[in-house]
């Protein structure tokens, strides 16, 4: 088997007592768009900084095309990076900013001019060569930073939450640009974000980080359809979780009993658990619906309507289970029951059997 | 705004008058000296009856005045360079370093600003007696550096604090070695701070008189010391001419410093 293009091999980094990353293991293919997704402090930036060479790992190795890069100093790694903060050189024009990596590499003048023009055109900033960074918007500055990071054809481009300082509309616009640039250049990208929508929109694959570890790696649809852990299920898609006890387990399926004695049988289960142990039932708000009649056994629960919130193209109904937990149910515009559900109604929440998941609690 | 100038009524006029008086109070000595330097009375009579340039002629004809000016300029230039270089190194340590006792060190660096200059002068005089530095160029430079450095450190630290170190990181990933990044990116980005520090260091040395009196010898003295010693011997308007030139250079440099600051904020 040939070695992977980029191999993050068991990276561990500690700051005194704090474990920033704990045995991060990841293989990235050439040209892949890989996103690190996770909450604040989960070790995403630390992993990028180790790749960039700003920090040395406590243990582990980083291999690019089979060769360790840890002994190479940052400025010789040839890696491109776009930072969360604006990092254009304030005393240089846009053109000179983009030319900087080529100038330190002592490229010939004609080549510099051609490459700078091509890079600025790639980020749709043709003709901005003479602007000063202070006279550009945040979005434009990050596009210049992107051009500067790509102008020397780096083998890997790192992006650490490059859009987090921008407003939502601009962010979506630049996400499209990034996607187009990725397709156009074929550069391998490692992208950090804590915005699941951004991750799903951009990435080929997503690595979900939690407290310094990777919980699961997969494409967006994979993570959504079959989350490996409670954390992933919670972080991708705003799922509801109902706590109960495991009563029977077998062949990747389990039965769960809730506080009021209700039992749901034969639900797909993730992780290992023992009968009598604690577990949680995960339901996605868009996979469940409110009905007057109960559904198949193991795929519905009786509920009382608590509250109805109208959100334009959909409504959200808060439904209370028999033992007092509250579930959110999404009802799209045009649903036959929309406008008929009232507070206090006794209804059922129903789902397709394959759309519920049980996660055993450790 | 709580205190809107336009809504103050009669107070507006009183405040304006106070401000004008303050400005006059600050400017009068300078105007007085400048007028005297162009007046033709040998006895410094004010207001002058007739105007003349002869005191300037005498000033430039006297090698002792020229020697003093040359000494002042040399000392101020050396102090300026050393103050910026050392101030930059100290500021880098204070803003980028992560060592313990940084706050204490910063406070320590700034003590010459609050210490009475006479005390520094006496201490240096005693120390330099042993080292044989009194009356030497090195003695002047060290003495002036002590009072110039705190200003340099404050100005350069301020510029460094507004400079995001991630920008230096970006330069390094672009392929610049750490030193290249500092020279090609960090230094140009904080150049306004370096220029301000240079101008103020020069001016502090150029205007300084207390330390200079202690350091001076009959053969080596700065312009302010020459003004002072001449004043005690005879009251010639040449002093007014020399003072006018001192003030002129100071004002010129202050204007340059103000322009730099304005260019930065634009
Ligand atoms: N230089 C450092 N010194 C001490 N602890 C650090 C340092 N850098 C990071 N950490 C710690 O390591 C952990 C991981 O930090 P990291 O910056 O990698 O998180 P992150 O996933 O990028 O979070 P965010 O989304 O907030 O940027 C955190 O607990 C953080 O406090
Ligand atoms: Mg981070």
């Amino acid at each position: 088997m040939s070695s992977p293009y980029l191999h993050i091999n068991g990276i561990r980094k500690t700051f005194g007592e704090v474990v920033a990353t704990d045995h991060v293991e990841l293989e990235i293919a050439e040209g892949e768009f890989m996103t690190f997704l996770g909450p604040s402090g989960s070790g995403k930036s630390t992993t990028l900084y180790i790749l960039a060479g700003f920090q040395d790992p406590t243990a582990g190795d980083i291999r690019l095309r089979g060769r360790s890069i840890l002994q190479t100093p940052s400025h010789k790694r040839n890696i491109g990076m776009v930072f969360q903060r604006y990092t254009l050189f304030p005393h240089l024009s846009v053109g000179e900013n983009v030319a900087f990596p080529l100038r330190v590499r002592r490229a010939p003048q004609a080549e510099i001019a051609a490459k700078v023009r091509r890079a600025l055109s790639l980020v749709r900033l043709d003709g901005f060569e003479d602007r000063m960074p202070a006279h550009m918007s945040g979005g434009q500055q990050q596009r210049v930073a992107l051009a500067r990071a790509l102008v020397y054809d780096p083998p890997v481009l790192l992006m650490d939450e490059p859009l987090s300082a921008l407003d939502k509309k601009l962010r979506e616009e630049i996400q499209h640009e990034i996607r187009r640039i990725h397709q156009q250049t074929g550069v391998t990208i490692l992208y950090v974000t804590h915005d699941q929508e951004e991750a799903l929109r951009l990435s080929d694959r997503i690595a979900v980080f939690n407290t310094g570890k990777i919980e699961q790696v997969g494409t967006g649809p994979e993570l959504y359809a079959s989350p490996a852990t409670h954390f992933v299920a919670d972080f991708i898609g705003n799922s509801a979780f109902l706590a109960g006890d495991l009563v029977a387990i077998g062949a990747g399926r389990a039965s769960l009993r809730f506080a009021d004695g209700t039992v749901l049988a034969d639900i797909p289960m993730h992780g290992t658990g023992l009968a009598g142990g604690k577990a949680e039932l995960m339901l996605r708000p868009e996979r469940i619906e409110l009905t007057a009649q109960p559904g198949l056994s193991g795929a519905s629960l009786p509920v009382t309507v608590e509250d109805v919130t109208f959100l334009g193209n959909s409504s959200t109904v808060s439904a209370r289970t028999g033992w007092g937990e509250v579930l959110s149910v999404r009802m799209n515009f045009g649903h036959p029951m929309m406008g008929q559900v009232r507070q206090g109604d006794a209804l059922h929440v129903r789902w397709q059997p394959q759309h519920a998941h049980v996660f055993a609690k450790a | 705004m709580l205190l809107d100038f336009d809504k103050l009524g009669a107070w507006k006029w009183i405040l304006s008058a106070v401000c004008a008086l303050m400005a006059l109070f600050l400017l009068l000595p300078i105007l007085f000296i400048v007028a005297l330097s162009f007046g033709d009375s040998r006895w410094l009579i004010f207001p002058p009856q007739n105007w003349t340039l002869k005191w300037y002629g005498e000033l430039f004809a006297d090698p002792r005045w020229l020697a003093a000016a040359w000494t002042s300029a040399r000392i101020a230039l050396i102090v300026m360079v050393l103050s910026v270089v050392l101030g930059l190194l100290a500021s880098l340590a204070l803003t980028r370093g992560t060592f313990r006792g940084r706050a204490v060190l910063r406070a320590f660096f700034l003590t010459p600003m609050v210490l009475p200059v006479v005390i520094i002068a006496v201490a240096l005089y005693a120390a330099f007696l042993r080292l044989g530095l009194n009356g030497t160029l090195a003695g002047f430079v060290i003495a002036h550096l002590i009072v110039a450095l705190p200003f340099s450190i404050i100005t350069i630290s301020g510029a460094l604090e507004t400079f995001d170190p991630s920008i230096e990181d970006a330069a390094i990933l672009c392929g610049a070695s750490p030193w290249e990044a500092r020279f090609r990116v960090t230094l140009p980005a904080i150049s306004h701070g370096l220029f301000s520090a240079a101008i103020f260091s020069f001016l502090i040395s150029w205007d300084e008189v207390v330390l200079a009196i202690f350091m001076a010898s009959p053969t080596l003295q700065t312009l302010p010391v020459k003004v002072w010693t001449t004043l005690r011997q005879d009251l010639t308007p040449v002093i007014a001419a020399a003072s006018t030139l001192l003030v002129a250079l100071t004002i010129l440099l202050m204007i340059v410093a103000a322009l730099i600051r304005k260019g930065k904020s634009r």
Side-chain angles (χ1 to χ4, degrees), chain A residues 52 54 74-75 78-81 83 85-91 100-101 103-106 148 152, chain B residues 163-178 180-181 184-186 188-189 266:
Chain A
F54 294 139
S74 287
H75 65 282
N78 209 32
I79 284 176
M81 180 154 182
F83 294 73
R85 284 179 291 191
Y86 302 137
T87 58
L88 293 187
F89 310 135
H91 63 295
F100 184 87
R103 293 213 188 283
V104 296
R105 286 172 174 74
R106 316 242 181 280
R148 185 179 67 185
Y152 48 100
Chain B
F163 178 81
D164 188 340
S166 307
I167 298 177
E168 212 173 272
D169 286 346
I172 290 172
L173 271 194
C174 282
S177 70
E180 203 177 357
R184 294 180 67 156
V185 174
T186 311
R266 185 165 39 90

Side-chain angles (χ1 to χ4, degrees), chain A residues 52-72:
Chain A
F54 294 139
Q55 276 163 4
D56 292 322
T58 314
D61 198 4
I62 308 263
R63 279 191 291 276
L64 183 65
R65 299 192 183 99
R67 277 224 195 94
S68 174
I69 59 169
L70 287 185
Q71 300 312 314
T72 314

Side-chain angles (χ1 to χ4, degrees), chain B residues 20-167:
Chain B
L21 280 177
M22 289 272 288
L24 262 185
F25 177 71
L26 293 173
L27 276 175
L28 266 183
I30 294 174
L31 295 177
F32 186 73
I33 280 287
V34 172
L36 285 183
S37 78
F38 291 107
D40 73 344
S41 158
R42 169 157 296 281
W43 313 111
L44 294 173
I45 290 168
F46 192 87
Q49 307 298 311
N50 290 298
W51 305 100
T52 175
L53 282 175
K54 72 175 171 204
W55 311 122
Y56 287 89
E58 272 189 34
L59 179 70
F60 286 109
D62 185 341
R64 289 169 304 171
W65 280 105
L66 294 182
W70 173 232
T71 305
S72 268
R74 267 188 307 166
I75 292 169
L77 284 173
I78 298 172
V79 166
M80 175 179 93
V81 171
L82 288 180
S83 167
V84 170
V85 171
L86 297 178
L88 175 64
L89 295 178
S91 302
L92 277 173
L94 289 177
T95 53
R96 298 287 175 79
T98 49
F99 53 92
R100 281 164 52 108
R102 230 158 21 117
V104 177
L105 193 61
R106 169 181 300 246
F108 176 73
F109 279 160
L110 303 186
T111 41
M113 287 178 73
V114 289
L115 225 54
V117 183
V118 180
I119 291 179
I120 301 177
V122 171
L124 277 180
Y125 188 78
F128 285 180
L129 270 183
R130 298 187 132 246
L131 301 171
L133 284 173
N134 286 318
T136 67
L137 200 69
F140 275 108
V141 168
I142 293 171
H144 284 176
L145 200 51
I146 288 173
V147 284
L149 254 181
F151 287 92
S152 205
I153 290 174
I154 286 180
T155 316
I156 299 174
S157 298
L160 270 177
E161 266 153 23
T162 58
F163 178 81
D164 188 340
S166 307
I167 298 177

Side-chain angles (χ1 to χ4, degrees), chain A residues 13 15-16 18-21 38-47 49 55 84 160-161 192-194 209 212:
Chain A
K13 175 73 181 173
F15 297 100
V18 181
V19 181
T21 68
S40 190
S42 57
K44 312 178 297 285
S45 296
T46 303
T47 310
Y49 288 162
Q55 276 163 4
Q84 177 170 9
D160 189 0
E161 309 201 30
V192 164
T193 182
H194 54 241
F209 276 68

